[in-house]
Amino acid sequence: MAADSNSTPGTTAGIAAAALMAVGSMTLVQLGAAVAKPTLDSFGPLGTTWLRLAWAALLLAVVTRPKVLSYSWAQWRGAILLGAAMAGMTLCYFQAVIRIPLGLATAIEFLGPLGVAAFGMRRAWHAVWPVLALVGVVLLVHDGSDWTVDPVGAGFALGAGLGWAVYILLMKRVGQAFAGLQGLTMSLAVAAVVATPWGLAENGGHIPLPVLGITIGLAILVPLLPYALEMMALRRMPTRAFGILMSAEPALGTLIGFVVLGQALSPAQLAGIALVVIASLGAVAGE
């Protein structure tokens, strides 16, 4: 998919378009997680995630018609690695969402992107940002005497953060290695294959017809549209600027979790989310 002539990389219009894409992606991810909650609870997070990935790959393949036999080994390697990261990130994230509030899951997951930013820090005082984020996460999950959230859910959120870190490192590279959205198509296909055993095992291969219909819509919300928007945004704006925008996602998740699911958080947890957001902004801006 070629960039529009009025939204080319490096131009003001291009960066503005990319910013809108990034905000749209964040909103869709959080909204998609919130509206999927009933299906996650009834059909299971592994089965629901698998079907979402499979539908997303199929729908995008119909649109992009990937030239599978023409890809080089380097292209395949990138798509395979990105697809595995997508599968791990998504499976862990939705395991977390059914156990802990949406805003908390997103804030803990954000340690992944923060870790990527922290790894590239060149000044000693920049270490304050990871420390600040860790303090924030402690406020999110522990009140000093006991866990305030399910530690298993928090662990899955951390796993999703690891997948997100790998996803960030690979997404721009894969987007540049393929024409249009063909790289995303192949990566989603790999992600669906990786998720298949987990999805089938959770429900013994039994998939009710209503779930098939519901998961088509859920797949469009997450992961199809967000991943496509992020890949196109990263082609139009610097990774640093993209990271600054995405730092708002934990706060957005908290807002959507409260409005859509009625998930109110304690003052300490809200302070923890604020610290994670501040740490993420500081780390990315200081790169």
Side-chain angles (χ1 to χ4, degrees):
M1 184 180 295
D4 184 82
S5 60
N6 294 323
S7 301
T8 53
T11 66
T12 302
I15 292 175
L20 288 175
M21 291 174 190
V23 172
S25 171
M26 287 188 290
T27 304
L28 288 171
V29 166
Q30 298 306 313
L31 186 60
V35 300
K37 191 74 163 55
T39 307
L40 294 171
D41 290 337
S42 62
F43 187 63
L46 299 179
T48 302
T49 300
W50 164 55
L51 288 176
R52 292 171 90 147
L53 290 169
W55 279 123
L58 180 60
L59 292 171
L60 196 55
V62 170
V63 174
T64 63
R65 298 181 182 180
K67 300 171 183 176
V68 177
L69 299 179
S70 68
Y71 299 142
S72 67
W73 167 239
Q75 288 174 307
W76 271 110
R77 183 177 59 218
I80 290 169
L81 291 173
L82 179 58
M86 284 178 173
M89 174 179 67
T90 313
L91 288 168
C92 286
Y93 181 67
F94 287 111
Q95 284 276 19
V97 164
I98 64 169
R99 291 174 168 85
I100 62 178
L102 182 60
L104 300 192
T106 304
I108 296 170
E109 184 193 27
F110 224 81
L111 291 180
L114 179 58
V116 172
F119 187 75
M121 291 176 184
R122 297 178 178 85
R123 298 178 182 175
W125 71 267
H126 286 170
V128 69
W129 303 124
V131 172
L132 194 64
L134 288 175
V135 172
V137 170
V138 170
L139 288 174
L140 290 174
V141 301
H142 204 277
D143 63 5
S145 60
D146 199 5
W147 294 99
T148 55
V149 298
D150 178 3
V152 175
F156 275 118
L158 283 173
L162 178 61
W164 198 358
V166 178
Y167 167 88
I168 287 172
L169 294 172
L170 293 173
M171 188 64 155
K172 191 178 184 84
R173 187 184 309 169
V174 171
Q176 292 172 339
F178 288 84
L181 294 175
Q182 292 191 33
L184 179 59
T185 303
M186 300 313 301
S187 299
L188 280 171
V190 171
V193 171
V194 171
T196 297
W198 305 95
L200 290 176
E202 186 173 57
N203 295 285
H206 175 66
I207 307 172
L209 285 178
V211 171
L212 283 176
I214 291 169
T215 50
I216 293 176
L218 294 178
I220 293 172
L221 275 177
V222 182
L224 182 54
L225 286 179
Y227 286 175
L229 288 170
E230 287 177 15
M231 182 170 281
M232 291 188 292
L234 282 166
R235 285 174 175 159
R236 291 167 166 81
M237 72 190 307
T239 304
R240 177 171 170 269
F242 179 82
I244 290 173
L245 277 173
M246 298 300 284
S247 296
E249 190 160 357
L252 184 61
T254 302
L255 177 62
I256 290 178
F258 177 72
V259 173
V260 178
L261 300 174
Q263 295 175 335
L265 302 179
S266 69
Q269 289 172 327
L270 291 173
I273 289 175
L275 288 178
V276 170
V277 171
I278 292 169
S280 300
L281 283 169
V284 176
E287 284 184 314

